[in-house]
Amino acid sequence: MNATIDLDVYTCSKVGLMLPMISEYTWSIGARAFLYFLAMIWCFLGVAIISDTFMCGIERITSKTRVIKIPDSEDKDKFKDIEVKVWNDTVANLSLLAFGTSAPEILLSVIEITGKGFKSGELGPGTIVGSAAFNLLVITAVCIVSIPKGEVRRIKNIKVFAITSFSSMFAYIWLLIVLLLSSPEVVDLWEAVVTFLFFPALIIIAYVTDKGCCCKSNRTASEVEIGLAAYPRMYDLSGQQQDGTADIIEVARECGRGDRKMSLDAAAQIAAARIAERQTHNSAWYRVNATRVITGGHKLTPPVNKAIKDLYENVVYENGNAGIRKSSLDISESGKKAVIEFTAASCAVLENEGHVRLGVRRSGDVESSITVGVETIDGSAEAGSDYKPIKQKLTFGPKECLKDVYVEIVDDDVWEPDEFFFVKLFLEPEQVKGDEVILGKVSINQVTIVNDDEPGKFEFSKPSYIVKEGCGQAQVVVKRVNGADGEVAVTWKTKDLSAKSGLEYQGGEDKIRFKHGETSKVVTLDIFGIKNSHEPNFQVDLSSPTGGAEVGKISRAIVTIINDEEFSAMVSRIQEKTEHNLQGLKIDTATWGDQFHDAMNVNGGDVENASALSYIMHFTTFFWKVLFAFVPPPSIGGGWLTFLVSLAMIGLLTALISDLASIFGCLIGLSPTITAITFVALGTSMPDTFASRQAAMMERFADSSIGNINGSNSVNVFLGLGFPWLIATIYWQIKGVQFKVAKGSLVFSVILYTISSVVAIAVLLLRRNLPAMGKAELGGPKAGKIGSAIFVFLMWVLYIVLSSLQAQNIINVI
């Protein structure tokens, strides 16, 4: 008698709700496990992409504004209209935004419990606890160590952080009370209702605290999160332009420098990058951008191609210590070229000295051997009778940065007035065509032959200077006349007139030192442009000469800044292009056409800046991108249609992931709890890791990176367990049966997490108060931040190991 073989019954064939869809009877277990693992990873990427769209819908909803009237401070009888956000930021963060970041975990729990006939499962609750542990321990460790050297990040709204931290720990303690003490391994209807109601209670308490109803108000997390994420930097909550003009003007000056060769498009890219770099974003923005970076999508940071990046890095805007603006005059192209010039533009020599020494210096590339030419040119002094002419080569060896040139002076017995001649640097034609050497600005030196041995007098070359606002610098010439004997110095100092130092120019005070024979020096002052007054001016004074020198007749000079129409026109063109660049960084899209364009092109169409990895991830996720481009854009229905359709899509994908994870765990012999706290938790939390790391590095405060973790973990419990428990208890209540939840390994996992969360939060509080840690939650001294990060990370490893041992019944603590 032949035995009947059922091709639908084989290893792990009855684990999933929808899968397997075909018979896998003849497949090997290893091949099936590998394919299910790849499919699970691919579906995680799909969830990340549709969550991106989901967050865009939420952002559109929560950024809605309304117009209110307030009294006009200038006219009491009139009112003015202002736009304010409809949603409070704290409420938005703990409701829709928290739900958006936690939607896969929450929906996984709901789908599992409904798919199992309203019976409790292990995958959903395990994923919620596992994600909470990963978020608090791993993401916190990553953020601590990611802060650049010498920088720190503190939590600004410590009160809301304290509330969400307490609620997070309370949420998991409440789980233990329900499952162990109140009604062991049974969830009653009132317990499910209370668990679910903790969610709105948390929002209300956080809102009251944020508004300062219980204590002194300080604009807190709302301010940390403030800003319409759809418009980086140049746009406020209502989409109105903010002040990015200063950045654009600074870049325009660099664009106008002949030695930079910067196009308007390049200047606009640099300005957009600089403006967006200092923008404050909320957690939704970082989550969406992280997803797009991972999947090769349309990024929310301005693209700056490699050719322009060098220019961008050389445009220096602020001195980190004093906040002084300054312009870079590097013409060596970041050290790629050797720059040769005289150390001074002019010098003087006594006729009886017999020769004059001229210094020639090299900057930029100092590694190679460079040769330049030096020759003399007649002025009022004549070659032969007053000096011996030269035309020679000057060679700089590797690492050699300074050379001297000597010109012989003819000493005669005939009295003559001061005379001068020129010494000039030049390059051979083949050197001009090449790109290894370039002459600096001081390529000609005027040599004056004087007949006396006085130290001389200091005075300005003229009593007034006029500079255009677009030039970036004013160069005021100080001359040494009637003698050039010995080393002397003179002090210069600026004085505000109608121009204000630090606003329209950078004033100061310093000494100019003249070596023996030097007769001219330049005082360089940075010009920021016209801010308030028409044609502002300031004064520069000379005083306190040394070495026996005196101050001459022109002891003060007036510098007037005038409008530069050509420069203003260039600023306007750059500003227009910059605004266009920033408009392209909006978090959401306006039409279906925009969505399909972004979906079907790597980097959303920015092919020039796409890396090989971007192409790989784009084509890997191409199916998901095109599929989810059919979701209505956030511009339709105020974002609500996007929200609902995306939620349905996430639900379907989550159901598929539930089956993939369950079957994969079954095939490799892992319990659902281990699969949940490892593979599924990591898959759902990976975008948050990248988002939090970027937020930690870019934001001034730590609220956007780690401040929202505890709130999200609380929402996971109150919604992710409270809602499915509520559905299940109502279902079984109608049937007159209790809803049973086996404690299994879940309770042990919750206990471990609760202990870990207390320790992790204690570490953050210690870091906030210990000088050795930089008195901040993130960053600080290298040893302290690395040690803290390793300690917190090892707590997660310990959590995974002990939870897995309990789940596999290797240990049996509870």
Side-chain angles (χ1 to χ4, degrees):
M1 182 177 179
N2 295 328
T4 302
I5 298 175
D6 189 348
L7 297 180
D8 292 326
V9 178
Y10 48 90
T11 303
C12 304
S13 61
K14 303 298 181 181
V15 174
L17 300 175
M18 300 182 296
L19 300 178
M21 301 184 72
I22 61 173
S23 176
E24 300 170 4
Y25 184 88
T26 59
W27 300 10
S28 69
I29 291 179
R32 290 175 64 201
F34 178 72
L35 291 175
Y36 273 97
F37 177 75
L38 289 183
M40 184 170 60
I41 298 300
W42 189 58
C43 287
F44 279 138
L45 293 173
V47 167
I49 292 171
I50 188 59
S51 295
D52 172 342
T53 306
F54 187 53
M55 294 298 288
C56 290
I58 291 174
E59 183 62 36
R60 176 58 68 97
I61 294 169
T62 57
S63 63
K64 183 179 179 182
T65 61
R66 60 188 176 93
V67 178
I68 63 172
K69 293 183 179 294
I70 62 172
D72 192 332
S73 58
E74 298 179 358
D75 190 340
K76 295 181 179 179
D77 297 328
K78 293 183 178 180
F79 294 86
K80 61 181 180 180
D81 296 336
I82 65 168
E83 279 189 299
V84 296
K85 293 183 73 174
V86 174
W87 284 73
N88 172 270
D89 290 301
T90 297
V91 173
N93 286 339
L94 289 176
S95 56
L96 289 181
L97 289 176
F99 178 61
T101 58
S102 303
E105 295 96 321
I106 294 171
L107 290 177
L108 179 62
S109 183
V110 173
I111 290 169
E112 183 185 41
I113 207 167
T114 54
K116 289 181 175 294
F118 298 98
K119 294 180 181 179
S120 176
E122 294 182 58
L123 194 64
T127 300
I128 286 175
V129 181
S131 294
F134 185 89
N135 291 344
L136 181 60
L137 303 176
V138 177
I139 293 181
T140 297
V142 169
C143 291
I144 288 173
V145 80
S146 296
I147 306 302
K149 182 180 180 180
E151 297 182 19
V152 296
R153 304 287 188 272
R154 288 171 61 88
I155 292 175
K156 185 179 182 182
N157 188 351
I158 194 64
K159 294 175 183 177
V160 170
F161 178 75
I163 289 174
T164 55
S165 297
F166 172 79
S167 69
S168 176
M169 289 185 288
F170 172 77
Y172 289 91
I173 292 172
W174 172 252
L175 287 183
L176 297 176
I177 293 173
V178 170
L179 296 177
L180 290 179
L181 302 177
S182 176
S183 52
E185 297 193 315
V186 172
V187 176
D188 294 328
L189 179 60
W190 73 269
E191 292 172 330
V193 171
V194 170
T195 303
F196 182 74
L197 290 179
F198 279 139
F199 173 61
L202 170 63
I203 295 174
I204 293 170
I205 293 172
Y207 173 76
V208 169
T209 303
D210 180 57
K211 286 295 184 181
C213 298
C214 300
C215 51
K216 184 177 178 181
S217 175
N218 63 326
R219 294 310 298 158
T220 52
S222 295
E223 293 176 343
V224 174
E225 295 293 331
I226 200 167
L228 182 58
Y231 294 91
R233 174 50 55 191
M234 293 192 69
Y235 297 87
D236 59 18
L237 294 177
S238 60
Q240 298 299 314
Q241 185 178 355
Q242 293 180 345
D243 186 19
T245 307
D247 299 276
I248 294 173
I249 289 175
E250 197 69 31
V251 173
R253 290 200 186 101
E254 297 298 323
C255 181
R257 296 188 192 281
D259 55 350
R260 284 201 173 272
K261 302 178 182 179
M262 190 192 303
S263 68
L264 292 182
D265 288 334
Q269 283 189 37
I270 291 176
R274 185 66 186 181
I275 290 168
E277 189 178 79
R278 296 196 304 270
Q279 172 67 37
T280 295
H281 304 291
N282 62 18
S283 55
W285 186 94
Y286 286 107
R287 171 66 185 258
V288 171
N289 190 55
T291 299
R292 296 183 184 182
V293 169
I294 294 171
T295 59
H298 178 206
K299 298 177 180 62
L300 300 180
T301 51
V304 180
N305 65 39
K306 295 178 180 178
I308 296 172
K309 193 168 291 185
D310 289 339
L311 286 175
Y312 173 46
E313 292 173 351
N314 284 331
V315 177
V316 182
Y317 290 86
E318 294 182 355
N319 183 304
N321 297 324
I324 299 173
R325 289 179 175 266
K326 59 183 181 180
S327 296
S328 170
L329 291 175
D330 177 25
I331 62 174
S332 67
E333 297 186 4
S334 301
K336 296 178 181 177
K337 294 183 178 181
V339 180
I340 308 295
E341 61 184 344
F342 288 110
T343 57
S346 65
C347 67
V349 59
L350 298 178
E351 188 179 65
N352 60 9
E353 286 194 5
H355 68 271
V356 60
R357 179 178 62 84
L358 306 176
V360 182
R361 65 188 172 199
R362 173 168 70 162
S363 59
D365 175 20
V366 297
E367 301 298 328
S368 56
S369 180
I370 295 295
T371 299
V372 294
V374 185
E375 64 179 345
T376 53
I377 302 173
D378 281 357
S380 59
E382 297 180 354
S385 60
D386 295 309
Y387 70 94
K388 296 291 181 70
I390 63 169
K391 185 172 183 180
Q392 61 189 47
K393 299 291 184 180
L394 193 64
T395 300
F396 287 82
K399 303 290 186 180
E400 197 171 12
C401 298
L402 189 64
K403 282 281 192 179
D404 290 328
V405 175
Y406 293 89
V407 179
E408 184 178 346
I409 304 298
V410 177
D411 186 12
D412 55 35
D413 296 329
V414 180
W415 181 89
E416 295 174 307
D418 291 353
E419 297 175 311
F420 64 89
F421 64 95
F422 301 97
V423 182
K424 176 185 175 183
L425 298 173
F426 66 91
L427 299 176
E428 297 294 342
E430 61 270 15
Q431 291 179 300
V432 176
K433 294 179 182 179
D435 59 356
E436 69 277 358
V437 62
I438 188 172
L439 295 182
K441 292 191 174 183
V442 190
S443 60
I444 297 177
N445 190 305
Q446 178 179 314
V447 181
T448 302
I449 304 173
V450 296
N451 279 285
D452 57 48
D453 55 358
E454 296 295 323
K457 296 181 179 180
F458 297 115
E459 61 182 33
F460 291 109
S461 62
K462 53 186 177 180
S464 64
Y465 293 81
I466 295 176
V467 297
K468 293 182 178 181
E469 61 173 334
C471 71
Q473 290 181 334
Q475 294 188 331
V476 182
V477 179
V478 179
K479 298 183 67 176
R480 182 185 185 185
V481 298
N482 298 333
D485 184 43
E487 292 192 8
V488 293
V490 66
T491 300
W492 64 266
K493 183 178 181 181
T494 61
K495 178 182 178 182
D496 288 355
L497 297 176
S498 58
K500 303 300 179 185
S501 177
L503 180 65
E504 290 156 316
Y505 78 103
Q506 186 58 54
E509 178 180 358
D510 200 359
K511 280 188 175 183
I512 306 177
R513 302 187 183 277
F514 288 77
K515 293 182 179 180
H516 176 72
E518 289 184 333
T519 59
S520 179
K521 291 283 186 178
V522 176
V523 176
T524 301
L525 301 167
D526 290 328
I527 302 297
F528 302 151
I530 299 174
K531 305 295 182 182
N532 297 322
S533 59
H534 175 66
E535 295 189 353
N537 54 25
F538 60 92
Q539 181 174 301
V540 187
D541 295 317
L542 294 177
S543 63
S544 306
T546 66
E550 300 175 359
V551 174
K553 293 181 179 179
I554 310 176
S555 62
R556 62 172 54 95
I558 305 297
V559 180
T560 302
I561 307 170
I562 64 171
N563 183 51
D564 187 343
E565 293 183 2
E566 182 180 350
F567 177 73
S568 298
M570 181 168 61
V571 169
S572 298
R573 293 195 297 272
I574 294 176
Q575 184 165 6
E576 182 179 346
K577 290 177 177 290
T578 300
E579 291 181 15
H580 175 74
N581 289 342
L582 293 175
Q583 281 279 0
L585 303 177
K586 292 193 299 182
I587 195 172
D588 58 5
T589 49
T591 65
W592 263 297
D594 292 338
Q595 291 188 168
F596 278 101
H597 174 271
D598 290 348
M600 300 183 75
N601 291 276
V602 64
N603 275 4
D606 180 26
V607 179
E608 185 179 2
N609 295 291
S611 64
L613 182 61
S614 296
Y615 277 100
I616 293 171
M617 297 308 299
H618 173 69
F619 289 113
T620 301
T621 58
F622 185 79
F623 171 80
W624 297 122
K625 290 181 178 179
V626 174
L627 175 63
F628 298 140
F630 285 97
V631 175
S635 59
I636 300 176
W640 285 105
L641 195 56
T642 306
F643 175 85
L644 295 174
V645 175
S646 298
L647 186 62
M649 293 278 194
I650 293 173
L652 291 173
L653 259 181
T654 303
L656 184 59
I657 288 175
S658 174
D659 277 7
L660 290 170
S662 298
I663 296 174
F664 171 72
C666 174
L667 289 171
I668 63 175
L670 292 180
S671 70
T673 297
I674 299 177
T675 304
I677 66 174
T678 52
F679 295 103
V680 183
L682 265 65
T684 56
S685 299
M686 199 53 63
D688 293 312
T689 306
F690 288 99
S692 294
R693 181 178 181 274
Q694 187 182 25
M697 292 188 294
M698 291 181 62
E699 294 292 319
R700 292 178 56 204
F701 300 101
D703 300 67
S704 293
S705 53
I706 63 170
N708 294 324
I709 290 176
N710 289 312
S712 179
N713 288 347
S714 303
V715 172
N716 278 356
V717 173
F718 299 148
L719 274 184
L721 292 182
F723 183 61
W725 281 1
L726 183 60
I727 297 172
T729 50
I730 293 174
Y731 175 84
W732 292 112
Q733 188 82 11
I734 293 173
K735 289 183 171 292
V737 180
Q738 290 182 317
F739 173 49
K740 296 183 179 180
V741 179
K743 62 181 183 180
S745 57
L746 174 63
V747 169
F748 182 67
S749 183
V750 170
I751 292 174
L752 286 177
Y753 168 76
T754 305
I755 295 172
S756 299
S757 65
V758 172
V759 176
I761 293 171
V763 169
L764 291 176
L765 292 177
L766 283 173
R767 287 183 53 83
R768 184 181 179 88
N769 293 281
L770 289 178
M773 296 291 181
K775 299 191 74 172
E777 288 82 359
L778 306 181
K782 183 176 181 180
K785 71 178 181 181
I786 292 178
S788 302
I790 292 175
F791 177 76
V792 175
F793 178 78
L794 288 178
M795 283 199 299
W796 177 75
V797 174
L798 184 63
Y799 161 81
I800 293 294
V801 171
L802 293 178
S803 296
S804 300
L805 292 175
Q806 175 76 16
Q808 293 294 95
N809 294 318
I810 297 175
I811 62 173
N812 189 14
V813 179
I814 295 180

